Amino acid sequence: RFRVSKNRTIELANVVVNIGDKGLVENLKDRVLPGIKDQSIKGRGEVHEYRFLGVKVGQITENQVPVLFGRLVKIMTIEAEQELDESGDELINSSKQIPSAPSSFFVINLVDHRMAYLGETRRSPGLRDFESCIRRLLDKDWKQRIGEHLQALLAAENRERTPRGKTEEYYRRVLAEVPQPTVRVTPLPALSEIDKKLEAFAKLEAISVKPMKTNNEMPDENAEFLRKYKEQQVKLGSTSSKFEMKNGKDGLQKEEAQKLIKAASDGNFQVTMKGSARNGNQISGDLDELSIKLKEQIPDQESDADRASRLLNKMKEAFQAGYVIAGATANELLERAKAIVQSINGGE
C-alpha cells in the first residue's frame, strides 16, 4: 500500500486522444488500454523509467460513472553528490544513492474526458509527464503496427521488400490505414483566475482563440459562437485554424472578452491574451498558466476504487461550484462509454 501525505493537490485537465477519426473512448479497448496498461517508457537523467501501474476501467460511485484510473510511477535514483561532515561545518563529496518511486494517481471520466490528477508524493510525475508517457507509448505501439501493416501489404503482393523508388509511396499507403495517434492533456483553468488575469490588463489589445481537435464529444457548454466556429472548421476539412480579435488603440471590451474566454476554457481551445499593464509594460498570458489546483485531505490507506471515487467527487464539486467549466454530459455519450467499459470487463 502506498503511503501518502494527507494534504495533497488535485489538478483537473481535459484528456484528448485521437487515432484517425476515433477519439479516446472508441480507441480505449483496442489501442489506449493495451498501449499503457503495465507498460513502461525510458526516462532521462536520474529518472530511469516511467511505468503505469494498476490501470483499470470500471464504473464507480453512486452514479456508476465509467472511468479509466490507475497510477503513473516515476522510477528514479536520488543522488546526494555532497553532504555536511560529522561536525556540520564542512561540505564533503558523497556517493550516496536512494532509490525512489514517486507516483501520481489519475482518474478519467470517460463521458466528458475530464481527468482528476493527484500527486501522491513529493517529486511525483506531473501532467506533462503523464501526457508525454501516453504519447510515447502509443507512438511505440503505432510504429510496431506500421511495420506489421507494411509486411502484410508486401506479402499480399508477393514481395519481400518495397520496389526500388517506391518506398515513400508504400509508406503513404500504410499511414492512410494506420494513422498516428495524437495526445493532448490540457489543464482546466480556474474561472476566478481568468478574472484576476484580465484585471492585470489596463488595456486588453488582442485575444486569439484556436480550436483543438477533440474526442468527438459534443461540447454543449461552449458558447454558441465557438461551437459553430468549430463545426465550420470540421466541415471545411481544416486541420488548423484560429481567430483573433484586436483593438490596439482603445482595447477590447473586457466584459465581453471575459465571456468569450470563459466559454473557451473547457480544454478544447487554446486561448492567448495580449495587452498592456497599468505601468505601460506589454503583458500576455494563456489559460494553461491559470490551471485550477484543489486541496484535499487524502487518507494514508484506501483502495484504488475509493481513491478514484474521491477524486471524481472532488471534481464534481468543482464543476457544481462553478470553479471550472464542466464537460459534455449527453446521455448518448454516457451509454457509449458504459457499453465500451462493459465490453472490456467481459460484460460485468
Side-chain angles (χ1 to χ4, degrees):
R1 182 68 60 189
F2 290 83
R3 180 173 178 80
V4 183
S5 298
K6 290 190 174 182
N7 192 21
R8 287 296 175 185
T9 300
I10 301 169
E11 296 179 87
L12 306 184
N14 188 52
V15 180
V16 175
V17 177
N18 288 113
I19 304 177
D21 59 357
K22 294 181 179 180
L24 171 61
V25 173
E26 295 94 335
N27 285 299
L28 185 62
K29 183 176 183 178
D30 297 325
R31 301 292 294 275
V32 177
L33 191 58
I36 68 172
K37 186 175 182 179
D38 299 325
Q39 298 296 312
S40 60
I41 199 78
K42 187 177 180 182
R44 293 180 180 178
E46 64 181 9
V47 180
H48 307 307
E49 67 179 58
Y50 293 90
R51 185 181 301 169
F52 283 97
L53 291 180
V55 177
K56 301 175 183 176
V57 295
Q59 295 177 209
I60 59 176
T61 74
E62 64 276 9
N63 295 322
Q64 292 294 289
V65 178
V67 296
L68 171 69
F69 63 94
R71 280 184 177 80
L72 176 61
V73 181
K74 181 164 63 175
I75 302 169
M76 60 189 298
T77 300
I78 302 172
E79 299 184 10
E81 292 193 77
Q82 62 182 21
E83 59 184 320
L84 289 171
D85 63 10
E86 292 183 2
S87 68
D89 297 325
E90 298 288 338
L91 282 172
I92 57 174
N93 292 332
S94 174
S95 58
K96 291 181 181 177
Q97 295 184 333
I98 304 172
S100 183
S103 64
S104 291
F105 187 92
F106 65 90
V107 56
I108 303 173
N109 183 328
L110 294 173
V111 180
D112 61 10
H113 313 111
R114 296 297 198 252
M115 176 175 70
Y117 193 82
L118 169 71
E120 296 183 303
T121 61
R122 294 179 180 178
R123 302 185 181 88
S124 59
L127 281 176
R128 288 292 158 250
D129 295 320
F130 179 83
E131 178 185 61
S132 174
C133 288
I134 291 185
R135 179 185 294 114
R136 290 171 63 195
L137 284 170
L138 293 185
D139 272 351
K140 179 181 176 182
D141 173 72
W142 169 68
K143 290 173 182 177
Q144 181 177 333
R145 288 172 183 268
I146 282 180
E148 293 171 352
H149 199 84
L150 178 60
Q151 290 304 314
L153 178 61
L154 293 174
E157 298 179 357
N158 293 317
R159 299 179 186 276
E160 293 184 359
R161 59 179 63 88
T162 57
R164 184 183 297 273
K166 296 266 184 126
T167 299
E168 187 175 338
E169 174 190 330
Y170 271 71
Y171 270 99
R172 279 200 302 267
R173 291 168 61 185
V174 170
L175 289 175
E177 296 294 326
V178 189
Q180 184 175 12
T182 61
V183 178
R184 180 169 52 84
V185 176
T186 306
L188 295 181
L191 297 183
S192 60
E193 292 301 313
I194 293 176
D195 296 337
K196 292 178 184 178
K197 185 66 179 180
L198 286 172
E199 288 175 4
F201 289 91
K203 182 166 67 175
L204 181 61
E205 299 173 6
I207 300 173
S208 172
V209 179
K210 180 179 180 181
M212 310 298 287
K213 196 169 184 181
T214 70
N215 288 298
N216 299 329
E217 73 269 37
M218 297 172 290
D220 54 5
E221 296 295 335
N222 286 340
E224 187 69 13
F225 171 69
L226 290 173
R227 187 152 54 91
K228 288 184 176 180
Y229 179 82
K230 195 165 185 63
E231 288 173 357
Q232 192 64 33
Q233 181 191 19
V234 174
K235 287 179 181 178
L236 292 172
S238 172
T239 58
S240 178
S241 67
K242 70 176 180 178
F243 67 85
E244 291 184 295
M245 297 182 182
K246 297 181 178 180
N247 186 341
K249 181 181 179 182
D250 302 316
L252 299 170
Q253 293 295 322
K254 276 194 179 181
E255 287 187 9
E256 294 304 315
Q258 180 189 59
K259 294 176 185 177
L260 175 66
I261 293 169
K262 286 186 175 181
S265 69
D266 67 346
N268 289 317
F269 298 88
Q270 187 179 74
V271 180
T272 57
M273 300 160 275
K274 295 181 181 179
S276 56
R278 289 175 177 79
N279 60 7
N281 291 341
Q282 289 294 302
I283 58 175
S284 61
D286 59 36
L287 296 185
D288 283 1
E289 65 192 38
L290 308 179
S291 61
I292 189 166
K293 292 177 174 60
L294 308 172
K295 293 294 185 179
E296 178 74 353
Q297 295 293 316
I298 305 294
D300 283 346
Q301 293 187 356
E302 65 181 346
S303 69
D304 288 357
D306 285 345
R307 180 149 298 178
S309 180
R310 175 185 298 278
L311 297 191
L312 275 182
N313 287 332
K314 190 69 175 178
M315 183 160 57
K316 182 180 177 181
E317 290 172 8
F319 294 149
Q320 291 176 337
Y323 297 152
V324 288
I325 292 252
T329 56
N331 189 61
E332 60 192 270
L333 300 179
L334 174 62
E335 294 306 317
R336 179 188 65 177
K338 281 185 175 181
I340 290 175
V341 167
Q342 288 171 355
S343 71
I344 293 172
N345 291 334
E348 296 177 4

